[in-house]
Amino acid sequence: MELIKRNIHMDCVKCRAFTQMTLEDDVIISDSRPDAAKLILDRGNMVIDEVKVTDDHVAVKGRLEFHVLYLTEKMGGQEGKSDVACMDGAVPFDEMVFMEGVKSGDSVGVDWEIEDLSIGLINSRKISVKSLAGLSLSCEEICDEETAVDLRSEEPIEFRKKTLNVAAMVVKKKDIFRIKEEVEIPGSFPNITSMIWSEITPGTVEFKVLDDKIALQGELHAFFLYRGEGDEEEICHYETTLPFAGSLECPGCREGMIPEIRLRAESREVEVRPDFDGEERVITFEQSLDLDICVYEEDSIDLLSDVYGVVKEVSVQEKNAEFRRLQAKCSGKAKAAGHFKVQEENTMIHKILHTACDLQIGEKNAVEGGIELSGTVELQIFFECSSEGEKYGVIRGSVPFQYLLETDGTLEDCIYPVNACVDQVTVAIIDNKEVDVKCVLYFRANIYRQWKEKIVEQILVSEPDMEKMAALPGIAVYMVREGESLWDIGKRYYVPVSTILQTNNLSSDEVKAGDKILIVKGM
């Protein structure tokens, strides 16, 4: 007797852990930078340098990198002119996280989220950096679930199968997609003397699995602040949206598979080069998208579910196995709006230059009809002033949102990773002190049902219990009980289902409570 088995690749989570940490430091502005009078824009990201795993503990070393755009102190006193400058720095951290069940040698992935970043000015040469950051640790691996799908036997044995629809793991890896672009500033803009600040963020990115590759396309929103050529070295800004498309090699993928991909866009390189006339007018950049890639294949598997003997005692040894399948795909857009005022009494808005935004999902709950999402869009609205003595200003604020990402069916026993981004943001000036903000938010989720299934691990065969066999009648009329099937009856009397069908002249194995079935042994 031989069990025919098939390996099903599943992604298994051995253990998880989460920790919050507070990072803070006072940072001196380097001597090569001018004195600071007012902070304008800031952004931050986490860099994980080292992950060291020991039994039940994980040591994570890294740093919070931050970038700041600020107004310089006025040259020539109060009546002088302020300028803009930028600086960057890092706050290191070394965190020991308790992670029950992890063992030395395990591979642990670390994801992060900056929940709050506050950068303030202490004096003209020193800034304070405070941040609340979360680290999510997971020990995941691809497990080969060995599943019995067939049986070979020289002796008469009855067995049945059941069909499982599963999402099997095909690919799990990290990769980087690099976008190289060139932007030539319009002819009405002055040549570039030096780049002051650049910000490049992806909008909605779509992924599609093809044969041995993953195709992606989307948009990049780019903002550049630079010093223009001329006697006064005018501060100029240029903002544009660039579409991109491309693919990554991904052996083992086939068209139609399910992508589950998360991305971050933190690392970039920006340079200025001359155009064909030798003038510094071309901005080149390389934006890296860090991708955490999982690819699933929908598969239908007929697995062995039960066995019984006709001439010998046959039993099965079972074990619990975890499976998942794709239940639904859903996506949608939500609108969020806010109204903000300039806090400084003498500052007046002349023109909006740029709006930096960060979408943060605070809560994600399964409710009737879908996934209820709530959170905020954190805004930094950079504007040019019309007031005397002030060149630039910033409005900081939060736009709350609440949205039901609709889906069919219940979400009980489901996981639903949600991808979200700010698809569009517009800022309208109401008067010289107030603005209206409108955001379009995009959400996408694949919903997977997870469950445990008993699968046959081993077949046990023994000689028949002769007393039990002798006690069974050679012929009997059996009345079907509620919930019973022909399989249950055949197993009780050691008679093949095909024999019962033939004896009773039945064309299908469907029976109902109260039916009378003739059982004849040895037919």
Side-chain angles (χ1 to χ4, degrees):
M1 187 178 302
E2 180 188 3
L3 273 178
I4 310 301
K5 294 187 176 182
R6 173 184 166 185
N7 280 337
I8 304 172
H9 303 305
M10 305 297 295
D11 51 336
C12 306
V13 179
K14 183 178 180 181
C15 48
R16 293 185 190 275
F18 176 79
T19 189
Q20 278 186 328
M21 56 185 182
T22 301
L23 304 174
E24 53 183 312
D25 196 7
D26 293 342
V27 181
I28 303 295
I29 298 173
S30 68
D31 293 339
S32 62
R33 303 289 181 180
D35 290 352
K38 180 180 179 181
L39 303 185
I40 300 295
L41 296 176
D42 60 62
R43 67 172 183 267
N45 69 283
M46 304 282 283
V47 177
I48 307 299
D49 293 318
E50 183 182 5
V51 179
K52 187 176 181 180
V53 182
T54 56
D55 291 354
D56 292 329
H57 291 85
V58 180
V60 183
K61 287 185 179 181
R63 61 193 186 275
L64 165 69
E65 292 185 340
F66 63 88
H67 308 266
V68 179
L69 179 71
Y70 64 90
L71 282 182
T72 65
E73 289 194 335
K74 296 175 183 178
M75 300 179 194
Q78 283 298 110
E79 301 302 320
K81 183 179 178 183
S82 64
D83 200 355
V84 291
C86 67
M87 67 162 291
D88 51 38
V91 179
F93 65 86
D94 188 348
E95 193 80 3
M96 180 65 76
V97 184
F98 175 71
M99 192 172 184
E100 186 176 4
V102 74
K103 299 293 182 185
S104 179
D106 285 347
S107 176
V108 173
V110 180
D111 195 13
W112 56 266
E113 182 177 2
I114 298 175
E115 298 174 14
D116 182 56
L117 177 63
S118 176
I119 300 180
L121 195 61
I122 298 173
N123 57 48
S124 62
R125 303 303 303 169
K126 185 187 290 186
I127 64 171
S128 68
V129 181
K130 296 180 182 179
S131 176
L132 179 65
L135 297 179
S136 298
L137 287 71
S138 61
C139 180
E140 299 180 355
E141 53 191 6
I142 297 180
C143 304
D144 283 339
E145 200 63 77
E146 205 174 45
T147 308
V149 295
D150 212 340
L151 179 65
R152 291 177 187 161
S153 175
E154 295 179 358
E155 298 177 355
I157 288 208
E158 288 289 293
F159 62 88
R160 66 176 175 179
K161 299 180 181 182
K162 60 182 173 184
T163 300
L164 286 186
N165 294 316
V166 301
M169 173 69 72
V170 177
V171 174
K172 185 176 181 63
K173 68 170 186 174
K174 295 183 184 292
D175 210 334
I176 299 174
F177 181 75
R178 291 181 171 85
I179 305 167
K180 295 181 179 180
E181 289 286 351
E182 288 188 351
V183 177
E184 185 167 356
I185 58 174
S188 58
F189 284 55
N191 295 345
I192 302 170
T193 299
S194 62
M195 185 65 63
I196 301 172
W197 182 267
S198 63
E199 197 164 296
I200 303 168
T201 56
T204 305
V205 181
E206 299 290 343
F207 299 95
K208 185 178 181 181
V209 180
L210 304 174
D211 292 346
D212 292 324
K213 65 177 65 176
I214 294 175
L216 61 166
Q217 64 176 14
E219 290 182 336
L220 291 178
H221 305 297
F223 170 74
F224 304 102
L225 189 73
Y226 70 92
R227 203 174 303 280
E229 190 178 71
D231 294 338
E232 296 186 3
E233 291 193 331
E234 178 186 359
I235 304 299
C236 305
H237 73 282
Y238 180 61
E239 195 161 17
T240 186
T241 297
L242 301 166
F244 70 88
S247 64
L248 279 172
E249 295 299 318
C250 197
C253 288
R254 291 190 300 277
E255 188 170 356
M257 288 183 175
I258 307 162
E260 191 65 59
I261 301 175
R262 293 186 299 114
L263 71 83
R264 288 191 183 275
E266 303 297 341
S267 176
R268 70 183 63 91
E269 295 179 7
V270 179
E271 294 180 351
V272 178
R273 71 165 184 83
D275 61 11
F276 288 113
D277 296 325
E279 297 182 325
E280 301 285 328
R281 304 188 60 79
V282 178
I283 303 169
T284 67
F285 67 85
E286 181 177 303
Q287 174 68 62
S288 297
L289 303 183
D290 298 323
L291 305 177
D292 193 349
I293 300 172
C294 292
V295 178
Y296 297 95
E297 180 180 27
E298 291 186 283
D299 201 357
S300 182
I301 304 164
D302 293 328
L303 60 87
L304 212 61
S305 62
D306 200 5
V307 179
Y308 70 84
V310 175
V311 297
K312 288 189 176 182
E313 287 286 349
V314 177
S315 59
V316 297
Q317 183 176 310
E318 297 178 314
K319 69 173 183 179
N320 277 325
E322 290 192 0
F323 297 97
R324 72 169 57 172
R325 67 177 174 83
L326 181 67
Q327 180 169 297
K329 296 180 180 181
C330 54
S331 62
K333 290 186 176 182
K335 293 181 179 179
H339 185 87
F340 302 96
K341 291 185 176 182
V342 177
Q343 297 301 313
E344 294 87 349
E345 184 177 343
N346 297 323
T347 301
M348 291 182 287
I349 305 168
H350 172 61
K351 181 169 63 175
I352 303 297
L353 302 182
H354 174 62
T355 303
C357 45
D358 178 31
L359 189 153
Q360 297 184 354
I361 297 177
E363 292 190 13
K364 180 180 69 171
N365 299 309
V367 298
E368 185 177 353
I371 306 167
E372 189 174 68
L373 303 166
S374 60
T376 60
V377 180
E378 301 298 323
L379 299 169
Q380 297 180 77
I381 304 168
F382 178 35
F383 61 88
E384 190 177 289
C385 299
S386 60
S387 46
E388 286 291 331
E390 286 287 343
K391 181 66 175 175
Y392 301 105
V394 65
I395 298 173
R396 300 174 188 271
S398 297
V399 176
F401 69 85
Q402 189 165 2
Y403 178 64
L404 179 65
L405 185 56
E406 295 182 354
T407 182
D408 296 329
T410 177
L411 298 183
E412 186 178 358
D413 299 323
C414 290
I415 60 171
Y416 36 89
V418 176
N419 291 311
C421 70
V422 179
D423 190 56
Q424 184 181 346
V425 59
T426 56
V427 180
I429 300 173
I430 298 174
D431 56 34
N432 57 19
K433 301 289 288 185
E434 298 180 60
V435 296
D436 259 343
V437 179
K438 293 181 180 178
C439 303
V440 178
L441 315 178
Y442 177 73
F443 302 96
R444 176 178 61 223
N446 291 337
I447 299 169
Y448 302 90
R449 179 175 170 256
Q450 291 192 135
W451 78 99
K452 289 186 177 181
E453 189 84 32
K454 287 189 178 298
I455 62 173
V456 175
E457 186 176 29
Q458 191 175 351
I459 301 290
L460 305 175
V461 181
S462 60
E463 292 300 319
D465 184 336
M466 299 311 295
E467 289 186 9
K468 182 179 178 181
M469 296 293 284
L472 292 173
I475 185 168
V477 175
Y478 183 82
M479 182 173 291
V480 179
R481 300 172 186 174
E482 188 68 40
E484 280 187 322
S485 65
L486 286 189
W487 175 269
D488 301 318
I489 298 167
K491 190 173 184 178
R492 180 192 295 266
Y493 286 97
Y494 296 80
V495 177
V497 172
S498 59
T499 301
I500 299 176
L501 289 169
Q502 183 180 349
T503 302
N504 292 271
N505 198 26
L506 297 174
S507 58
S508 77
D509 58 0
E510 292 184 6
V511 290
K512 61 183 184 294
D515 286 351
K516 293 180 179 179
I517 301 297
L518 179 62
I519 306 296
V520 179
K521 285 282 289 178
M523 183 175 174

mmCIF file of all heavy atoms in Angstrom, residues 271-290:
data_model
loop_
_atom_site.group_PDB
_atom_site.id
_atom_site.type_symbol
_atom_site.label_atom_id
_atom_site.label_comp_id
_atom_site.label_asym_id
_atom_site.label_seq_id
_atom_site.Cartn_x
_atom_site.Cartn_y
_atom_site.Cartn_z
ATOM 1 N N GLU A 271 20.531 64.418 -9.538
ATOM 2 C CA GLU A 271 21.659 65.184 -10.067
ATOM 3 C C GLU A 271 21.159 66.174 -11.115
ATOM 4 O O GLU A 271 20.078 65.995 -11.691
ATOM 5 C CB GLU A 271 22.702 64.258 -10.702
ATOM 6 C CG GLU A 271 23.399 63.322 -9.724
ATOM 7 C CD GLU A 271 24.420 62.443 -10.411
ATOM 8 O OE1 GLU A 271 24.449 62.444 -11.661
ATOM 9 O OE2 GLU A 271 25.190 61.771 -9.698
ATOM 10 N N VAL A 272 21.956 67.183 -11.351
ATOM 11 C CA VAL A 272 21.655 68.168 -12.398
ATOM 12 C C VAL A 272 22.740 68.055 -13.459
ATOM 13 O O VAL A 272 23.934 67.977 -13.139
ATOM 14 C CB VAL A 272 21.622 69.597 -11.816
ATOM 15 C CG1 VAL A 272 21.358 70.610 -12.930
ATOM 16 C CG2 VAL A 272 20.562 69.709 -10.731
ATOM 17 N N ARG A 273 22.321 68.029 -14.725
ATOM 18 C CA ARG A 273 23.301 67.950 -15.808
ATOM 19 C C ARG A 273 22.916 68.944 -16.911
ATOM 20 O O ARG A 273 21.761 69.387 -17.000
ATOM 21 C CB ARG A 273 23.398 66.524 -16.353
ATOM 22 C CG ARG A 273 22.203 66.059 -17.152
ATOM 23 C CD ARG A 273 22.544 64.808 -17.948
ATOM 24 N NE ARG A 273 21.442 64.383 -18.806
ATOM 25 C CZ ARG A 273 21.185 64.883 -20.001
ATOM 26 N NH1 ARG A 273 21.923 65.886 -20.468
ATOM 27 N NH2 ARG A 273 20.177 64.418 -20.715
ATOM 28 N N PRO A 274 23.853 69.273 -17.783
ATOM 29 C CA PRO A 274 23.556 70.231 -18.857
ATOM 30 C C PRO A 274 22.694 69.613 -19.965
ATOM 31 O O PRO A 274 22.736 68.406 -20.190
ATOM 32 C CB PRO A 274 24.940 70.619 -19.393
ATOM 33 C CG PRO A 274 25.854 69.510 -18.978
ATOM 34 C CD PRO A 274 25.285 68.920 -17.726
ATOM 35 N N ASP A 275 21.929 70.466 -20.648
ATOM 36 C CA ASP A 275 21.163 70.018 -21.805
ATOM 37 C C ASP A 275 22.062 70.060 -23.045
ATOM 38 O O ASP A 275 23.289 70.236 -22.950
ATOM 39 C CB ASP A 275 19.895 70.868 -21.980
ATOM 40 C CG ASP A 275 20.216 72.342 -22.210
ATOM 41 O OD1 ASP A 275 21.402 72.677 -22.450
ATOM 42 O OD2 ASP A 275 19.280 73.155 -22.162
ATOM 43 N N PHE A 276 21.468 69.934 -24.236
ATOM 44 C CA PHE A 276 22.268 69.894 -25.469
ATOM 45 C C PHE A 276 22.995 71.214 -25.732
ATOM 46 O O PHE A 276 23.990 71.261 -26.461
ATOM 47 C CB PHE A 276 21.372 69.544 -26.661
ATOM 48 C CG PHE A 276 20.925 68.116 -26.657
ATOM 49 C CD1 PHE A 276 19.585 67.794 -26.460
ATOM 50 C CD2 PHE A 276 21.839 67.079 -26.825
ATOM 51 C CE1 PHE A 276 19.169 66.475 -26.460
ATOM 52 C CE2 PHE A 276 21.428 65.763 -26.822
ATOM 53 C CZ PHE A 276 20.090 65.448 -26.634
ATOM 54 N N ASP A 277 22.497 72.311 -25.131
ATOM 55 C CA ASP A 277 23.142 73.611 -25.314
ATOM 56 C C ASP A 277 24.167 73.903 -24.220
ATOM 57 O O ASP A 277 24.716 75.009 -24.160
ATOM 58 C CB ASP A 277 22.082 74.719 -25.320
ATOM 59 C CG ASP A 277 21.123 74.575 -26.493
ATOM 60 O OD1 ASP A 277 21.587 74.147 -27.568
ATOM 61 O OD2 ASP A 277 19.920 74.865 -26.313
ATOM 62 N N GLY A 278 24.376 72.920 -23.344
ATOM 63 C CA GLY A 278 25.360 73.106 -22.283
ATOM 64 C C GLY A 278 24.848 73.872 -21.082
ATOM 65 O O GLY A 278 25.629 74.258 -20.209
ATOM 66 N N GLU A 279 23.529 74.103 -20.997
ATOM 67 C CA GLU A 279 22.959 74.835 -19.869
ATOM 68 C C GLU A 279 22.412 73.846 -18.838
ATOM 69 O O GLU A 279 21.810 72.823 -19.193
ATOM 70 C CB GLU A 279 21.846 75.771 -20.356
ATOM 71 C CG GLU A 279 22.352 76.848 -21.299
ATOM 72 C CD GLU A 279 21.236 77.787 -21.730
ATOM 73 O OE1 GLU A 279 20.098 77.293 -21.879
ATOM 74 O OE2 GLU A 279 21.500 78.982 -21.904
ATOM 75 N N GLU A 280 22.596 74.177 -17.563
ATOM 76 C CA GLU A 280 22.175 73.283 -16.475
ATOM 77 C C GLU A 280 20.651 73.350 -16.332
ATOM 78 O O GLU A 280 20.106 74.132 -15.552
ATOM 79 C CB GLU A 280 22.869 73.695 -15.170
ATOM 80 C CG GLU A 280 24.374 73.663 -15.214
ATOM 81 C CD GLU A 280 24.914 72.231 -15.164
ATOM 82 O OE1 GLU A 280 24.288 71.379 -14.531
ATOM 83 O OE2 GLU A 280 25.966 71.987 -15.777
ATOM 84 N N ARG A 281 19.973 72.483 -17.085
ATOM 85 C CA ARG A 281 18.520 72.540 -17.106
ATOM 86 C C ARG A 281 17.871 71.150 -16.985
ATOM 87 O O ARG A 281 16.649 71.031 -16.996
ATOM 88 C CB ARG A 281 18.030 73.196 -18.399
ATOM 89 C CG ARG A 281 18.589 74.587 -18.655
ATOM 90 C CD ARG A 281 17.904 75.244 -19.832
ATOM 91 N NE ARG A 281 16.476 75.391 -19.627
ATOM 92 C CZ ARG A 281 15.912 76.336 -18.890
ATOM 93 N NH1 ARG A 281 16.665 77.230 -18.256
ATOM 94 N NH2 ARG A 281 14.610 76.404 -18.763
ATOM 95 N N VAL A 282 18.684 70.118 -16.887
ATOM 96 C CA VAL A 282 18.144 68.757 -16.861
ATOM 97 C C VAL A 282 18.354 68.139 -15.477
ATOM 98 O O VAL A 282 19.480 68.108 -14.968
ATOM 99 C CB VAL A 282 18.794 67.861 -17.932
ATOM 100 C CG1 VAL A 282 18.252 66.438 -17.839
ATOM 101 C CG2 VAL A 282 18.536 68.447 -19.323
ATOM 102 N N ILE A 283 17.280 67.676 -14.883
ATOM 103 C CA ILE A 283 17.338 66.978 -13.592
ATOM 104 C C ILE A 283 17.228 65.483 -13.862
ATOM 105 O O ILE A 283 16.258 65.025 -14.474
ATOM 106 C CB ILE A 283 16.201 67.433 -12.657
ATOM 107 C CG1 ILE A 283 16.243 68.941 -12.439
ATOM 108 C CG2 ILE A 283 16.283 66.694 -11.322
ATOM 109 C CD1 ILE A 283 15.008 69.493 -11.739
ATOM 110 N N THR A 284 18.219 64.737 -13.459
ATOM 111 C CA THR A 284 18.169 63.279 -13.590
ATOM 112 C C THR A 284 18.036 62.682 -12.189
ATOM 113 O O THR A 284 18.633 63.194 -11.227
ATOM 114 C CB THR A 284 19.441 62.721 -14.263
ATOM 115 O OG1 THR A 284 20.554 62.910 -13.397
ATOM 116 C CG2 THR A 284 19.692 63.404 -15.585
ATOM 117 N N PHE A 285 17.244 61.637 -12.095
ATOM 118 C CA PHE A 285 17.122 60.981 -10.793
ATOM 119 C C PHE A 285 16.913 59.485 -10.967
ATOM 120 O O PHE A 285 16.429 59.011 -12.000
ATOM 121 C CB PHE A 285 15.995 61.594 -9.951
ATOM 122 C CG PHE A 285 14.608 61.367 -10.484
ATOM 123 C CD1 PHE A 285 13.907 60.207 -10.202
ATOM 124 C CD2 PHE A 285 13.996 62.337 -11.264
ATOM 125 C CE1 PHE A 285 12.623 60.020 -10.685
ATOM 126 C CE2 PHE A 285 12.714 62.153 -11.757
ATOM 127 C CZ PHE A 285 12.027 60.984 -11.466
ATOM 128 N N GLU A 286 17.315 58.763 -9.955
ATOM 129 C CA GLU A 286 17.049 57.331 -9.865
ATOM 130 C C GLU A 286 16.302 57.079 -8.563
ATOM 131 O O GLU A 286 16.834 57.294 -7.480
ATOM 132 C CB GLU A 286 18.338 56.509 -9.892
ATOM 133 C CG GLU A 286 18.076 55.001 -9.825
ATOM 134 C CD GLU A 286 19.345 54.175 -9.927
ATOM 135 O OE1 GLU A 286 20.069 54.333 -10.937
ATOM 136 O OE2 GLU A 286 19.616 53.397 -8.996
ATOM 137 N N GLN A 287 15.050 56.657 -8.696
ATOM 138 C CA GLN A 287 14.212 56.374 -7.534
ATOM 139 C C GLN A 287 14.116 54.862 -7.349
ATOM 140 O O GLN A 287 13.787 54.132 -8.289
ATOM 141 C CB GLN A 287 12.807 56.954 -7.722
ATOM 142 C CG GLN A 287 11.826 56.587 -6.642
ATOM 143 C CD GLN A 287 12.172 57.230 -5.314
ATOM 144 O OE1 GLN A 287 12.183 58.447 -5.194
ATOM 145 N NE2 GLN A 287 12.466 56.418 -4.309
ATOM 146 N N SER A 288 14.433 54.400 -6.152
ATOM 147 C CA SER A 288 14.363 52.968 -5.860
ATOM 148 C C SER A 288 13.052 52.645 -5.158
ATOM 149 O O SER A 288 12.670 53.317 -4.191
ATOM 150 C CB SER A 288 15.531 52.540 -4.971
ATOM 151 O OG SER A 288 16.765 52.734 -5.629
ATOM 152 N N LEU A 289 12.375 51.630 -5.653
ATOM 153 C CA LEU A 289 11.185 51.086 -4.991
ATOM 154 C C LEU A 289 11.585 49.765 -4.343
ATOM 155 O O LEU A 289 11.935 48.809 -5.036
ATOM 156 C CB LEU A 289 10.044 50.862 -5.986
ATOM 157 C CG LEU A 289 9.559 52.066 -6.795
ATOM 158 C CD1 LEU A 289 8.383 51.656 -7.668
ATOM 159 C CD2 LEU A 289 9.186 53.224 -5.893
ATOM 160 N N ASP A 290 11.554 49.715 -3.021
ATOM 161 C CA ASP A 290 11.856 48.485 -2.295
ATOM 162 C C ASP A 290 10.586 47.647 -2.220
ATOM 163 O O ASP A 290 9.576 48.090 -1.643
ATOM 164 C CB ASP A 290 12.370 48.798 -0.892
ATOM 165 C CG ASP A 290 13.665 49.588 -0.933
ATOM 166 O OD1 ASP A 290 14.482 49.318 -1.825
ATOM 167 O OD2 ASP A 290 13.850 50.471 -0.076
#
